Structure formats: C-alpha cells, structure tokens
Amino acid sequence: MTVTSKGPLCPERQMSPRPYDVAVVGAGVVGTAIARELARHPHLRIALLEASADVGDGTSKANTAILHTGFDAVPGSLESRLVRQGQRLLAAYAAESGIPVEPVGALLVAWDDEQLDALPDLLDKAGRNGYDAARIIGADETRAREPHLGPGALGALDVPGESIICPWTTTLAYATQAVRSGVELHLNTRVETVSSEGDDHLLATSRGALRARFLVNAAGLNADVLDRLVLGAGDFTVTPRRGQLIVFDELARDLVRHILLPVPTALGKGVLVAPTVYGNVLLGPTAEDLDDKAATGTTADGLDGLLTKGRRILPALVDEEVTAVYAGLRAATEHDDYRIRCHEERRYLTVGGIRSTGLTASMAIAAHVAGLIAEADPGLDLEEPVEPAPVHMPNLGEAFPRPYQRADLIATDPAYGTIVCHCERVTRGEIRDALISTVPPASLEGLRRRTRARGGRCQGFYCGAAVRALHEGRGEWGPE
C-alpha cells in the first residue's frame, strides 16, 4: 500500500520503462471513486494525485451531505442518469461499508402561490427523471409532517427517497479501498505542467515528474485549468460558487424531521434546512458566484441572510445554539450538465462541472469514466474486473451504535470506553484507529473528519490539547 505526502515522487519508479497506466488528478469524492473503480483491474498501475494534504479536502468536505434521488435534475441529461444510478450504487455501498445513511425524505415547501403553482411541474419533472414516488401534499399534511414550520406554508412536494449521508466517510472509504487495491496515492502533489513524452503524458508536479499512459482530470475547481494545460483550451470555465452554511447544535435536532427544500431557482436548489447524520441541523447554502477559487471564508452578510431565511422556514431554529459555520465552493460552469469528455486521440478524459450532486453520482460517474477509458484505449484491457476486498468504515452517525455505546467493543479494547472529545463522544480508540489507518489524517481537521473530534459545541476548547497531543504522537493509548 502506497500513500505519500512528501519527498520526490518515487524516483525509482520514474526510472522504470513502464509508466503508470492511469493517473487520476484530484482526490475528492469523484476522483477517489474513479481510482477505486479502476483498481478493480489489478493489472493496472494507477496514481491518484492530490494537491492538498488529504483526500476530500476541497468541495467534497463542505457540502449539504444529501444522497439525492435526482428528482429535480434536467431530464435527459447525463447528470440525471448518473445521479439515479449513483444513488442506488452508493446506497448499497454505504450499507456494505458502514457509511451512515438515514432515509429521512424531503419536503419541497411552497411558501406562496407562485411556488405552489410550480409544484405540478416539479412533480412532472420527477416523473420524467424516472422518480415516481413523489407526490404533492396540502398545507395540513405539510404542517403535520413538520410541526415546527413557520407560518404560511401552503403545501409541499413530498420526496420520500431523499437521504442524508456522511460525505467524509464516503470519500475516505473510496480512497481506502483504492489504496488497499494497489492505487498509489500521492498527496501534496500539485500538477504544474503537462507535456507529451512519446505516447505518454509527462506531468511536472510540485514533487517531481510522473509519466502516465492515460490521464483523468477530476480536479474539481481546477478542472478547467488542467484542461488548458493538456489541451491548450477547454470547453468550459469553472466559476466557484460559494455556499455558506450554519451548523446548529444537536439540541436542535428534534425541530426537523425531513430535509426541507425550497422551490429551486436558476442559481441552484436554494437555502434548505436539513438534519445531519451527526445529529446536527444544517441551514444553507448561499449561492455566490466568485472569482477566487480559494474564497472559503464566511461573511456576515451571508450568514445574516441565511438566518433571515431560516427564520421563515423554521423560526425556532434560529434561537438554537450555533456549533459552527463553514463555506464550500462548488464547481459551477456555464453549462447545465456535467462536462465529462474523453479525448481519445490524447488519451485524456475530463470530469468537470460536477456540482452538488457529485457525491450521490460518484460511483456512477466512476463506472461511466471507466467505460469511456476502455473504449478510448483498448490496450489497457478493462475487461473482467475483480471486486475489491470490502472495507468497513468507523461509524460517525448518531442513528447507529457508536464505540462508546458498545460494551462488547469496550470489553475487547478499553480505549473505546475512554472519551476524549465529550461534545461528540469520541474515544481514544477511534482516534488511534484513524491515526494508523490506510489513509491517515495529515491535520487536526483531517482527524475531525475521520472521528468528529473537536467538531462539537465547544469546537475543541476542552479537548483540543488532548486531541492535538494524540495527533502528534504524545498521547498514551488505552484508558487513563
């Protein structure tokens, strides 16, 4: 198993006459899913390159964590097809791999006559997208289903198939399975230039050179930049669309039973209220088109706007304690659909414009990409894939037993009974397991995404020193 984050890129391998068969650029949820899919062909040498110090450290870590049905996608689009397929694939994979999913359903709430009149068209769109379980419900049923809704709700589109999921564990599960299947993961590896060397791509990176027969661009916000490095031009431009969100304390969880969606606009699905698998409640996101692909800070105006909208949707929510605020950048383009393009003559494939549905569609995108690669380059021989050994990820969800609640687990290892982070009830055993895992965290933020440590209402005020000591290797494993 190979995971590197510093030093030159395997110089002894670069001297080998055989390059990587495939290099995947970008280790977000889509890039890791592609690497995992390609790793089903054990004869391939695959490199997964990530500019950051961790997998899932960009758009994939900061989304609304919804497993979509695809009911409101553009009918007939590639996105619609891949979201529908991906939802089924990921739901099954999550059950197998221990990724927490809760099928809470969604209500698309109409607050005025114009929105109410739009519901039949949305119901028709759901049907054209192959989703037939949606139905329109009246004001009384809407209120009975969500008693804490603000006044004025006129009805809703009920979408029972929508679920909430842990996006952090999903990306990590893909990466773990890929690495265990032979993929070489190179972190802190930013692609700077791309040129040709015979029939191969020669990638100059921040950690040295790398050669690959086939190149897959899953670079997210920078997919358009890599396109231009390889092709000299591109057919899309990524405009970072910032989504600010507010995370409310677990005490607010009883205020909401479903994902509460607004009637969508041209800018996106709008501001929602949703429970999380961690027991919190999300309010957001905003939709702000920016020029800066690193502008992940929150703003006073953005958060105030969310609170104003949240007060109408769920008035009691805005009186609850705020645990955290954050912002993510979505890879919006000038097109309404995913930009997945294979340039066969160049042995190069772009996976661009993957917006908020990318988490749901990730496994279907990966299968689609593998099919395109097989057509473009028969010499790679993608026939007869082998299923990778299953993985079982640590449970971060509140709807399932956590280690501190499991007497059987504690009996075999008392470290699972010693809580370090009391807000999120994270144990020493979980932190230890994360630090010695196949893809270990490079930072405290990475550790939080693997365990929830420092993610609760005190945001590490009480446990921060102890968690940092364990992360830096100074802690003693086991109970104190």
Side-chain angles (χ1 to χ4, degrees):
M1 295 188 292
T2 301
V3 179
T4 73
S5 59
K6 57 186 177 180
L9 277 177
C10 306
E12 68 282 359
R13 284 190 180 269
Q14 300 313 310
M15 300 300 292
S16 168
R18 182 188 175 196
Y20 287 105
D21 293 297
V22 184
V24 180
V25 179
V29 71
V30 172
T32 54
I34 292 170
R36 174 197 170 275
E37 178 68 24
L38 293 174
R40 298 171 66 213
H41 306 275
H43 63 281
L44 296 181
R45 289 189 60 228
I46 302 164
L48 176 59
L49 311 181
E50 170 55 46
S52 181
D54 200 358
V55 299
D57 200 37
T59 298
S60 300
K61 73 180 180 185
N63 54 46
T64 49
I66 295 174
L67 185 58
H68 296 283
T69 59
F71 79 96
D72 57 349
V74 177
S77 65
L78 179 63
E79 179 179 17
S80 173
R81 175 167 66 86
L82 295 182
V83 168
R84 292 198 311 273
Q85 293 174 357
Q87 191 272 341
R88 294 190 292 270
L89 291 170
L90 182 50
Y93 182 76
E96 173 189 285
S97 304
I99 299 168
V101 174
E102 292 183 48
V104 296
L107 296 178
L108 192 78
V109 181
W111 297 95
D112 56 40
D113 289 334
E114 183 179 357
Q115 293 178 6
L116 188 65
D117 291 343
L119 294 186
D121 286 342
L122 289 167
L123 179 62
D124 177 68
K125 177 186 274 191
R128 287 186 288 139
N129 278 315
Y131 185 75
D132 298 323
R135 64 189 182 96
I136 295 173
I137 61 176
D140 290 343
E141 184 175 350
T142 301
R143 176 72 54 187
R145 299 272 293 274
E146 285 290 350
H148 296 286
L149 275 178
L154 302 180
L157 183 69
D158 177 23
V159 189
E162 299 277 298
S163 302
I164 54 177
I165 187 172
C166 177
W168 307 330
T169 309
T170 304
T171 304
L172 187 62
Y174 293 160
T176 298
Q177 208 164 28
V179 170
R180 290 181 182 176
S181 299
V183 171
E184 298 182 16
L185 171 61
H186 300 299
L187 302 167
N188 292 318
T189 306
R190 182 178 298 278
V191 175
E192 296 172 340
T193 64
V194 181
S195 58
S196 297
E197 187 176 86
D199 292 333
D200 300 330
H201 297 280
L202 180 63
L203 282 64
T205 80
S206 54
R207 294 180 53 209
L210 177 149
R211 289 188 302 126
R213 175 186 175 103
F214 206 104
L215 180 60
V216 177
N217 173 2
L221 290 167
N222 290 302
D224 58 340
V225 176
L226 185 55
D227 239 20
R228 294 182 181 99
L229 287 178
V230 177
L231 303 173
D235 67 347
F236 67 95
T237 298
V238 172
T239 299
R241 181 168 293 163
R242 181 167 61 188
Q244 301 183 50
L245 295 107
I246 300 175
V247 183
F248 288 90
D249 188 80
E250 294 173 20
L251 293 175
R253 179 62 181 83
D254 290 340
L255 294 176
V256 61
R257 300 173 181 176
H258 306 77
I259 303 164
L260 301 180
L261 299 169
V263 175
T265 69
L267 279 178
K269 300 179 186 299
V271 173
L272 58 81
V273 174
T276 74
V277 295
Y278 321 114
N280 303 100
V281 178
L282 284 181
L283 171 63
T286 59
E288 311 156 55
D289 285 346
L290 307 173
D291 296 323
D292 185 356
K293 293 183 178 181
T296 56
T298 57
T299 66
D301 287 346
L303 299 178
D304 286 344
L306 289 180
L307 291 173
T308 297
K309 292 179 180 179
R311 188 171 285 108
R312 181 180 189 186
I313 300 167
L314 211 66
L317 180 64
V318 298
D319 295 326
E320 295 291 333
E321 293 292 328
V322 172
T323 294
V325 298
Y326 67 93
L329 298 176
R330 289 159 279 175
T333 74
E334 65 271 41
H335 302 281
D336 291 333
D337 204 354
Y338 294 164
R339 307 305 293 172
I340 301 179
R341 297 288 185 273
C342 186
H343 304 271
E344 296 184 11
E345 73 286 356
R346 301 292 296 272
R347 290 180 180 164
Y348 171 70
L349 192 149
T350 302
V351 186
I354 311 299
R355 299 178 296 274
S356 58
T357 55
L359 169 62
T360 300
S362 54
M363 296 188 79
I365 291 172
H368 179 63
V369 165
L372 292 175
I373 293 173
E375 292 177 6
D377 191 352
L380 287 177
D381 185 15
L382 298 189
E383 300 295 328
E384 300 182 8
V386 176
E387 287 304 313
V391 294
H392 192 80
M393 305 305 293
N395 169 45
L396 302 187
E398 286 297 304
F400 312 90
R402 299 273 305 284
Y404 79 95
Q405 297 170 311
R406 292 182 51 189
D408 60 328
L409 195 60
I410 295 168
T412 60
D413 187 343
Y416 294 114
T418 303
I419 293 178
V420 177
C421 171
H422 286 267
C423 293
E424 297 297 280
R425 297 169 292 280
V426 181
T427 67
R428 293 168 68 87
E430 292 170 275
I431 293 173
R432 174 203 60 206
D433 292 350
L435 293 174
I436 62 175
S437 64
T438 302
V439 186
S443 66
L444 291 174
E445 281 301 296
L447 182 59
R448 178 178 66 84
R449 293 195 294 271
R450 288 162 173 80
T451 65
R452 290 172 49 181
R454 299 170 58 253
R457 62 182 60 127
C458 86
Q459 291 290 287
F461 182 83
Y462 291 102
C463 69
V467 173
R468 182 179 294 276
L470 293 172
H471 181 258
E472 294 177 353
R474 298 196 301 265
E476 295 290 334
W477 297 123
E480 292 181 342

